[in-house]
Amino acid sequence: LCHTRTWHRKVLVHELVHHWFGNLITIKWWDDLWLKEAFADFLALTVLENYKFPEGCEKLKTYFFNCKHDTYNQDFGESSHGVCTHVSNSNKANEIYDDLVYIKGACTLIQLKGILGDFIFWEGVKKFINDNRWKTVTREDFFIAMKSSIPKEKEILKAHVERWIADWILIPNLNLLTVQWEPNNTSKNAKAFIKQSPANPKKTLYASILFTKVAFFDENGKLLEVKEVLLTQKINEIEYDGSKKPAIVHPNFEDVAYCKIKFDEHSRKALLKCIHNINDEVTRANAFHSLFETLKEGEINGLDFIQTFFKLIDTETSESCLGWQLHCLYVAITKYVPMKYRFELYDQAFKRIYLLIKSVKPYENGKKKYLKEELINYAQNDENIDILIQWLEDRETNLKEIPPTND
């Protein structure tokens, strides 16, 4: 599968990174497991960012996006813990080998790089390695190296590092970003307000220091403007060019921040019409995830969501995103539309997936697998069931070159 091929490459680099973070520098105790595992994942992502993957591989950012969203589910619940968490004895160490240490840990380092800027961040990493080679370390050694690399004229960044430690390393933390703005404001210095609230409403609001990119799109999904923003409060004000007449505000462009997002009503309606035109694969996937969550909350019409999916499925380039979208489609038809529409929608979905199976390229094994697995779910009338039977009996001429099983 496409994501498996990408995973193999990521694991290879991850393990090589342990020559530095793990061997050259070794953690003193399990509490700081993230210093080697999060760094190994983070540096694997960094090294492979400009690597040209062969055809049939998942794009690295899309692969990592899917990992992040699995991690959100853990971070949302009662099993959440800080990236750095206390381990009382070595027998308990296996309990913290999880996505919060690996994936969220890597995300916290992406955040730190965004807060400090590339140059200061990498100077701090080099200092951490050079000062501690062949030693055992704690997180304090890393914090000291990062803060000592900040020049005097940027002293404020030391306070930001302290805030980053408190917000991202020591406590469980997952926030939701929303945007308040006036779509009719066409001034060049229009204002938008980015709000942070707890993703889990049972938890108290915590205003994190959070680096993100806020993107503005027109009604056709064309990117108009991107703002790099450092959020430090519950409500943060930014300026944008309203004269460009944006229709959509995306608070986590390129999925740079570790957070959930929810679109305002105006952006949501525009996305339902044009999400398939958004070029950046990860931004598109993030938007689709958010729309599906909003559907489950009852704020989107199920029929509108399904029609949006039908536009998207024909052009989706990510195999793993397609797998997730197909799952969402089945849930939407089964649970979020009136019964009287379901069999018609099952039939529409079957016919679309059937046509896509016919058109898959030889190296798109993952796409083929997802489509074949889902096709059976939508065979809800005699005509479509007969197509499946003919396919299994090798009598379906249109699919003759494609085996019905994934063996």
Side-chain angles (χ1 to χ4, degrees):
L1 292 178
C2 58
H3 60 275
T4 304
R5 297 188 192 103
T6 301
W7 178 80
H8 287 158
R9 289 161 171 79
K10 195 274 288 186
V11 168
L12 179 62
V13 180
H14 174 107
E15 299 305 332
L16 286 172
V17 169
H18 281 318
H19 285 306
W20 290 268
F21 294 89
N23 296 341
L24 183 65
I25 297 174
T26 302
I27 58 170
K28 189 169 287 187
W29 187 244
W30 297 108
D31 291 22
D32 292 317
L33 179 67
W34 69 280
L35 274 179
K36 69 185 189 77
E37 298 301 348
F39 251 109
D41 256 16
F42 166 73
L43 286 172
L45 293 167
T46 303
V47 168
L48 292 172
E49 188 173 3
N50 297 312
Y51 172 73
K52 187 176 180 181
F53 286 85
E55 285 187 323
C57 282
E58 182 73 276
K59 289 182 180 177
L60 184 69
K61 285 186 177 180
T62 309
Y63 164 83
F64 191 62
F65 165 82
N66 288 308
C67 294
K68 279 177 70 174
H69 275 261
D70 289 341
T71 307
Y72 291 160
N73 293 330
Q74 182 182 354
D75 214 0
F76 190 83
E78 296 304 316
S79 64
S80 179
H81 58 78
V83 171
C84 171
T85 188
H86 178 59
V87 179
S88 57
N89 62 69
S90 290
N91 293 328
K92 299 281 188 180
N94 280 340
E95 296 177 9
I96 63 164
Y97 274 85
D98 62 13
D99 286 346
L100 294 176
V101 169
Y102 284 71
I103 305 299
K104 185 177 181 179
C107 292
T108 66
L109 293 168
I110 292 170
Q111 281 295 302
L112 184 60
K113 184 161 76 78
I115 291 166
L116 294 178
D118 282 9
F119 180 79
I120 295 174
F121 175 81
W122 290 116
E123 286 298 304
V125 171
K126 285 189 284 186
K127 182 170 179 56
F128 177 55
I129 293 173
N130 290 332
D131 289 354
N132 296 286
R133 58 179 60 239
W134 309 120
K135 295 179 183 177
T136 56
V137 296
T138 69
R139 58 188 176 275
E140 289 301 327
D141 297 306
F142 176 65
F143 301 155
I144 289 168
M146 299 309 293
K147 286 187 282 189
S148 64
S149 298
I150 296 170
K152 287 184 179 179
E153 63 271 19
K154 295 188 176 181
E155 194 76 12
I156 184 63
L157 292 179
K158 290 185 179 180
H160 289 344
V161 172
E162 291 291 347
R163 182 89 180 270
W164 171 81
I165 295 167
D167 291 355
W168 290 105
I169 302 302
L170 301 180
I171 64 168
N173 187 13
L174 176 62
N175 281 352
L176 174 75
L177 293 190
T178 54
V179 183
Q180 294 175 330
W181 65 299
E182 293 294 335
N184 295 325
N185 187 342
T186 57
S187 66
K188 282 189 169 292
N189 55 349
K191 300 262 192 312
F193 299 90
I194 316 300
K195 180 183 177 182
Q196 298 190 78
S197 57
N200 185 341
K202 294 180 182 178
K203 298 186 177 181
T204 57
L205 171 61
Y206 198 86
S208 307
I209 186 166
L210 183 72
F211 173 77
T212 190
K213 295 180 181 179
V214 181
F216 297 82
F217 297 85
D218 71 11
E219 61 185 3
N220 297 312
K222 178 184 176 183
L223 181 62
L224 301 174
E225 184 178 9
V226 179
K227 294 277 188 180
E228 291 191 354
V229 184
L230 185 62
L231 308 178
T232 58
Q233 303 174 49
K234 293 178 182 179
I235 298 176
N236 305 263
E237 180 182 302
I238 65 168
E239 283 192 2
Y240 68 95
D241 188 350
S243 68
K244 295 179 179 179
K245 298 182 179 179
I248 299 162
V249 185
H250 194 310
N252 190 13
F253 181 63
E254 296 180 337
D255 196 42
V256 69
Y258 182 87
C259 64
K260 289 195 167 190
I261 62 171
K262 184 174 182 179
F263 291 100
D264 64 278
E265 185 177 3
H266 191 277
S267 296
R268 207 159 54 225
K269 287 179 178 178
L271 275 169
L272 286 169
K273 296 176 181 177
C274 72
I275 188 173
H276 56 289
N277 291 330
I278 293 178
N279 287 328
D280 183 71
E281 193 173 279
V282 171
T283 302
R284 187 172 66 247
N286 202 357
F288 187 83
H289 270 260
S290 177
L291 291 176
F292 183 62
E293 291 298 315
T294 311
L295 168 72
K296 293 193 292 184
E297 292 167 3
E299 297 181 35
I300 290 180
N301 180 284
L303 293 172
D304 291 341
F305 178 85
I306 290 164
Q307 293 309 312
T308 296
F309 169 84
F310 283 153
K311 292 177 190 173
L312 185 56
I313 189 177
D314 294 333
T315 56
E316 183 54 69
T317 55
S318 165
E319 294 181 10
S320 61
C321 285
L322 177 64
W324 167 250
Q325 291 159 8
L326 289 165
H327 164 74
C328 292
L329 173 66
Y330 185 72
V331 172
I333 294 175
T334 305
K335 293 187 176 181
Y336 297 106
V337 298
M339 179 71 78
K340 65 179 181 178
Y341 298 116
R342 286 181 191 167
F343 287 98
E344 179 187 344
L345 291 169
Y346 284 138
D347 185 56
Q348 288 182 39
F350 184 94
K351 287 179 168 59
R352 282 179 179 269
I353 294 170
Y354 172 78
L355 290 172
L356 280 173
I357 291 173
K358 287 166 56 178
S359 66
V360 289
K361 296 172 183 175
Y363 58 80
E364 294 180 316
N365 292 321
K367 185 174 185 179
K368 193 188 305 179
K369 176 181 182 295
Y370 290 128
L371 291 168
K372 288 193 294 186
E373 286 176 349
E374 290 295 329
L375 187 65
I376 193 171
N377 290 331
Y378 301 101
Q380 302 282 341
N381 61 37
D382 290 343
E383 178 188 355
N384 293 337
I385 291 171
D386 190 51
I387 288 173
L388 289 182
I389 292 171
Q390 291 182 49
W391 191 15
L392 286 167
E393 295 176 349
D394 201 25
R395 294 185 290 113
E396 220 299 307
T397 54
N398 288 322
L399 300 176
K400 201 148 186 78
E401 302 302 316
I402 303 173
T405 65
N406 290 317
D407 296 334

